[in-house]
Amino acid sequence: MSVEQKINQLRDELRQHNYNYYILDNASISDYEFDIKLKELQALEDANPDFFDANSPTQRVGGAITKNFKTTVHDFRMYSLDNSYSKEDLLDWETRIKKMVDGDVQYTCELKYDGASMNLTYEKGKLVRAVTRGDGVQGDEVTANIKTINTVPLQLKGDFPERFDIRGEIILPIKGFLKMNEERIANDDEPYRNPRNTASGSLKLQDSAEVAKRPLECLLYSIKGNNLNISTQFEGLDKARAWGFKVPKEAKLVNSIDDVLDYVEYWDTHRHNLPYEIDGVVVKVNSLFQQDELGFTAKAPRWAMAYKFKAEQVSTRLNEITYQVGRTGAITPVANLKPVELAGTTVKRASLHNADQIEKLDIREGDEVFVEKGGEIIPKIIAVDLTKRPGNSRPTIYIENCPECETQLERLEGEAKHYCPNYNGCPPQVVGRIQHYISRKAMDIEGLGGETVALLVKGGLITNYSDLYELTVEQVIPLERMAEKSAENLINGVEASKQIPFERVLFALGIRYVGETVAKKLAKHYKSIDALMFASILDLVTVDEIGERIAESVVEFFSFEENRKIVERLKTFGVQLEISAEKLASQTDKLKGKSIVVSGVFVSISRNELKKLIEDNGGKVSSSISSKTSYVVAGDKMGPSKRTKAENLNITILSEQAFLELLK
Ligand code: AMP
Ligand code: ZN
């Protein structure tokens, strides 16, 4: 078999597994085997750049950075939908339709997926472009981001038209949304409000690798094009499914508006069993010929109608307001409710966000309150039923002292939240900080979990994360659910964490506002904790993407003697508190201040390696050529329009060889 054949065979195979897994929901290979094959393909592609294909399964991991999304005009305008809220509305709509078309009317009923709409263009079975709805006439091209979504086929199967557009909704399934939020809460980041906003916010992230991490899906509902040989909406859905798209099976073809009403009623009560959120149903005249006859109003098709479900609301009693203390000391007030059924789950608690929110709604213990679960997963209190307020009711007085350690709370100018400043003595902060330190994205200490950390603190065995390194097997064994083997694992896990690179240690320290990305930037710039410790606010803000808020937080962290002592101890235990010599050797300032565009396919180095090389040498990778571009590094198959642009702007074009030479 030739290399090309092997590459094509692997691509086909991976595509099929991807399809089985994401579209059919029926895995045909283990994740591990899939990874092995993907790596094999990646290696072959790296070694044989002539066979590069932008739609290869290897391209799903993302990596492309887009600074400015290109505005693109839609070939077919993306209309909005008219809304209806009642049976009468739907009957009126039917009457209007029947006046305008001859013969019987069938309807395709579909779910109204709650996400962000997307137009995908396919040519010769390959995805060539993905554009947001924008204002309906033109949107933003977000192809690099959309390619990372596994349910978007990059290569179609079967008998597809030469060229067409297909529309769908980018959604975030509820499970994936909750998982993302679990991680955010563990990191003490504010959780995302609802799946819809999180999905639509993902489309225009600049780093497509970030998008790849989010479990987004694309559900398709409409095909547009010329000479498609499709005569009904329902047939279109079937065909799209056969070409490899994810088209939910809940779509139903019905013969009368009465059947439409049944469909609406069914999904109004059963929608909570779906893996994703819907906000209604969309009803479409099935015949495309009749659709043509009906045409469009200024903003929406006459042949379609959305039926919007009402946001579900119930009223219940607010028993008590309690306060939670997070790892950074942030206080969150929580409404403890008389348990009530809402949108398919029992609701017992709702977040009250902060003191302002309580004041604005004048929420008091003992009140009867309205709880809503609209697009939001976390229920919220939208109002108080004042008619039911008990006579002895008193306004809520926000706590002034920490519920865990009694310390007086602080509220910084301009901040919505109160904080407990008892950094070293407030139990949830002490425990939370160590839990963060050991977490997967930080020091990833195997054999040690959050509950054990709480036990260690409670038992007085540790008071901060540097104490972990002095624990012994004998000390740990007596803890609940510990045995000799697990105690040894724990100690070994702690020992192994001494190899974790500096940037992750910096993240693990738990400095407020220093997340993973910021930690990377700071590690790269300062190279050691000693340099960072002595950096001033003025100096910190000169670092790329570091603002005043982060700078102040870093300076504050190191202003505490206690923190400096802990860092010193970590150092004596051998934790990595500077960039390794090896890594340092690969870093220079040679490209400092240079903005570099990479284009084409490379022979001796992968695109990602090339980008990393630029960054390691102090340069900035930019995605589009402008007068600010310093160089274009051009590989094979650099786009002709890019080349012309670079030439017109008199920008130096370097070959792969010339560029590598430059760094020597
Ligand atoms: P609206 O944003 O309220 O005008 O509703 C129109 C939007 O509903 C469209 O732009 C789509 O993004 C979305 N939508 C969700 N599901 C469907 C569906 N099955 N058919 C058509 N549009 C849908
Ligand atoms: Zn406290």
Side-chain angles (χ1 to χ4, degrees):
M1 202 188 300
S2 72
V3 179
E4 184 174 15
Q5 280 168 329
K6 180 74 197 160
I7 288 180
N8 284 332
Q9 188 199 338
L10 274 169
R11 283 179 185 161
D12 284 346
E13 209 183 316
L14 287 166
R15 249 176 228 129
Q16 186 63 38
H17 290 308
N18 196 70
Y19 175 79
N20 293 346
Y21 187 80
Y22 289 103
I23 311 279
L24 301 183
D25 221 356
N26 185 8
S28 46
I29 184 174
S30 73
D31 289 356
Y32 176 73
E33 285 168 297
F34 186 92
D35 266 1
I36 299 268
K37 284 192 193 287
L38 190 68
K39 287 213 176 94
E40 186 184 352
L41 174 59
Q42 181 74 62
L44 283 174
E45 288 181 351
D46 284 350
N48 300 280
D50 280 353
F51 304 131
F52 174 81
D53 179 351
N55 288 337
S56 164
T58 54
Q59 301 299 304
R60 291 221 189 256
V61 291
I65 305 282
T66 317
K67 277 270 146 65
N68 297 303
F69 294 94
K70 197 170 106 195
T71 310
T72 307
V73 177
H74 297 296
D75 281 349
F76 302 87
R77 187 176 147 186
M78 290 181 83
Y79 284 88
S80 180
L81 288 173
D82 283 333
N83 288 323
S84 58
Y85 299 90
S86 66
K87 189 176 159 180
E88 288 67 41
D89 289 349
L90 281 175
L91 293 174
D92 286 350
W93 177 58
E94 186 204 22
T95 315
R96 291 201 298 275
I97 289 175
K98 292 266 165 99
K99 278 192 200 140
M100 294 178 71
V101 298
D102 297 325
D104 291 339
V105 179
Q106 288 191 308
Y107 302 93
T108 297
C109 301
E110 294 166 31
L111 302 178
K112 189 166 189 297
Y113 322 114
D114 202 9
S117 37
M118 183 59 48
N119 186 77
L120 307 173
T121 302
Y122 284 83
E123 284 173 14
K124 297 194 167 65
K126 287 188 192 299
L127 174 70
V128 293
R129 199 161 37 252
V131 180
T132 63
R133 174 161 122 181
D135 64 4
V137 175
Q138 53 182 31
D140 292 315
E141 186 182 331
V142 291
T143 317
N145 285 347
I146 294 305
K147 271 191 183 173
T148 68
I149 300 175
N150 285 300
T151 43
V152 173
L154 301 179
Q155 167 71 55
L156 303 181
K157 337 185 283 166
D159 190 17
F160 44 78
E162 171 78 12
R163 183 197 154 91
F164 66 96
D165 281 5
I166 184 161
R167 286 171 185 172
E169 199 83 354
I170 307 292
I171 55 124
L172 188 55
I174 295 167
K175 248 197 214 148
F177 171 77
L178 293 176
K179 188 146 170 274
M180 279 173 73
N181 263 354
E182 257 169 43
E183 269 179 35
R184 287 186 72 83
I185 290 165
N187 277 333
D188 225 25
D189 289 326
E190 186 76 15
Y192 293 118
R193 279 294 177 85
N194 61 49
R196 185 206 332 115
N197 291 356
T198 316
S200 68
S202 305
L203 302 183
K204 298 231 276 177
L205 290 177
Q206 295 192 335
D207 183 355
S208 60
E210 267 316 301
V211 186
K213 285 189 205 149
R214 302 189 173 187
L216 299 163
E217 291 195 8
C218 182
L219 309 179
L220 285 306
Y221 52 70
S222 159
I223 306 172
K224 298 275 164 200
N226 300 316
N227 310 318
L228 293 180
N229 199 18
I230 296 173
S231 57
T232 70
Q233 167 66 12
F234 203 72
E235 183 191 352
L237 296 181
D238 269 343
K239 289 209 161 154
R241 213 174 270 130
W243 301 332
F245 291 101
K246 184 152 185 166
V247 180
K249 289 270 169 53
E250 286 76 12
K252 191 174 175 190
L253 180 61
V254 304
N255 291 319
S256 72
I257 208 79
D258 278 340
D259 294 344
V260 169
L261 292 169
D262 286 346
Y263 185 89
V264 166
E265 202 175 297
Y266 180 85
W267 284 109
D268 196 0
T269 49
H270 287 79
R271 59 176 150 142
H272 305 298
N273 304 337
L274 293 165
Y276 44 80
E277 297 197 318
I278 59 173
D279 60 339
V281 157
V282 185
V283 190
K284 299 169 184 172
V285 169
N286 191 44
S287 150
L288 298 192
F289 179 78
Q290 287 178 335
Q291 285 191 8
D292 260 353
E293 285 186 308
L294 288 161
F296 296 83
T297 66
K299 79 172 245 287
R302 287 197 189 86
W303 45 263
M305 182 57 85
Y307 180 96
K308 290 255 184 123
F309 296 140
K310 285 186 199 62
E312 285 184 63
Q313 232 185 51
V314 286
S315 82
T316 189
R317 212 179 98 99
L318 168 56
N319 287 328
E320 193 192 3
I321 297 175
T322 54
Y323 300 84
Q324 277 178 352
V325 188
R327 140 170 95 77
T328 56
I331 308 291
T332 304
V334 178
N336 295 269
L337 307 166
K338 181 169 166 227
V340 61
E341 282 295 306
L342 174 63
T345 51
T346 308
V347 176
K348 297 190 198 100
R349 289 145 66 86
S351 167
L352 292 170
H353 301 295
N354 53 51
D356 294 342
Q357 181 77 5
I358 293 176
E359 199 180 306
K360 201 172 99 200
L361 298 176
D362 185 21
I363 297 175
R364 306 176 183 190
E365 287 182 347
D367 272 344
E368 191 73 15
V369 293
F370 293 107
V371 184
E372 185 176 291
K373 209 167 167 188
E376 340 253 290
I377 290 277
I378 306 162
K380 62 177 181 191
I381 293 180
I382 44 169
V384 173
D385 187 348
L386 291 174
T387 63
K388 298 213 176 118
R389 176 166 278 173
N392 61 355
S393 157
R394 293 267 165 280
T396 299
I397 299 172
Y398 204 81
I399 49 165
E400 288 179 359
N401 295 82
C402 175
E404 302 278 348
C405 74
E406 307 281 303
T407 306
Q408 186 163 17
L409 300 180
E410 285 177 357
R411 194 185 202 182
L412 296 179
E413 182 89 4
E415 292 231 9
K417 290 218 171 222
H418 286 73
Y419 283 91
C420 167
N422 183 10
Y423 186 80
N424 290 312
C426 183
Q429 295 190 55
V430 171
V431 173
R433 218 153 34 228
I434 304 173
Q435 286 171 337
H436 169 72
Y437 185 83
I438 66 159
S439 65
R440 198 168 47 81
K441 287 184 171 171
M443 302 302 270
D444 194 18
I445 297 188
E446 251 179 77
L448 178 56
E451 283 170 37
T452 308
V453 168
L455 290 176
L456 288 167
V457 173
K458 207 164 152 217
L461 290 170
I462 57 174
T463 55
N464 64 63
Y465 36 68
S466 72
D467 295 337
L468 290 171
Y469 296 90
E470 282 187 333
L471 283 176
T472 61
V473 173
E474 292 70 36
Q475 281 179 313
V476 176
I477 288 180
L479 292 182
E480 244 173 77
R481 273 184 280 143
M482 274 288 165
E484 184 156 344
K485 185 81 195 126
S486 44
E488 274 167 15
N489 283 346
L490 191 161
I491 303 298
N492 291 339
V494 170
E495 183 63 27
S497 75
K498 294 177 182 172
Q499 305 308 320
I500 297 289
F502 176 46
E503 58 187 40
R504 274 174 58 190
V505 179
L506 193 50
F507 169 61
L509 295 183
I511 305 171
R512 195 183 292 168
Y513 307 132
V514 178
E516 270 180 290
T517 322
V518 171
K520 263 187 206 159
K521 294 246 146 82
L522 290 172
K524 199 167 140 193
H525 184 89
Y526 288 101
K527 301 187 172 60
S528 75
I529 199 89
D530 290 331
L532 179 64
M533 222 172 332
F534 293 111
S536 66
I537 292 183
L538 278 180
D539 188 47
L540 279 158
V541 294
T542 62
V543 182
D544 192 28
E545 281 178 47
I546 305 297
E548 214 159 290
R549 197 179 64 141
I550 299 171
E552 276 169 12
S553 168
V554 170
V555 168
E556 189 190 7
F557 182 88
F558 290 113
S559 72
F560 291 116
E561 196 192 343
E562 181 72 20
N563 285 337
R564 293 199 301 270
K565 271 196 197 145
I566 292 174
V567 167
E568 285 311 316
R569 285 189 76 208
L570 289 178
K571 219 186 267 174
T572 58
F573 293 129
V575 173
Q576 305 291 314
L577 288 165
E578 53 186 34
I579 290 188
S580 67
E582 199 184 321
K583 187 143 191 195
L584 210 53
S586 71
Q587 295 194 348
T588 74
D589 274 344
K590 279 189 184 149
L591 299 175
K592 195 167 174 181
K594 300 271 191 274
S595 165
I596 299 173
V597 173
V598 175
S599 178
V601 183
F602 300 90
V603 183
S604 63
I605 183 169
S606 81
R607 238 175 123 87
N608 281 339
E609 282 165 348
L610 190 61
K611 287 182 179 171
K612 194 162 167 302
L613 205 56
I614 294 173
E615 285 174 351
D616 282 348
N617 286 286
K620 242 180 130 157
V621 179
S622 151
S623 59
S624 61
I625 299 174
S626 74
S627 57
K628 297 202 183 80
T629 306
S630 320
Y631 308 117
V632 177
V633 186
D636 263 2
K637 302 193 183 145
M638 172 178 176
S641 64
K642 270 198 175 163
R643 185 172 288 275
T644 320
K645 190 159 182 198
E647 281 166 1
N648 288 345
L649 291 167
N650 260 332
I651 291 161
T652 313
I653 301 180
L654 295 172
S655 69
E656 178 178 341
Q657 245 43 54
F659 175 74
L660 295 175
E661 218 35 59
L662 186 76
L663 290 181
K664 279 212 182 112

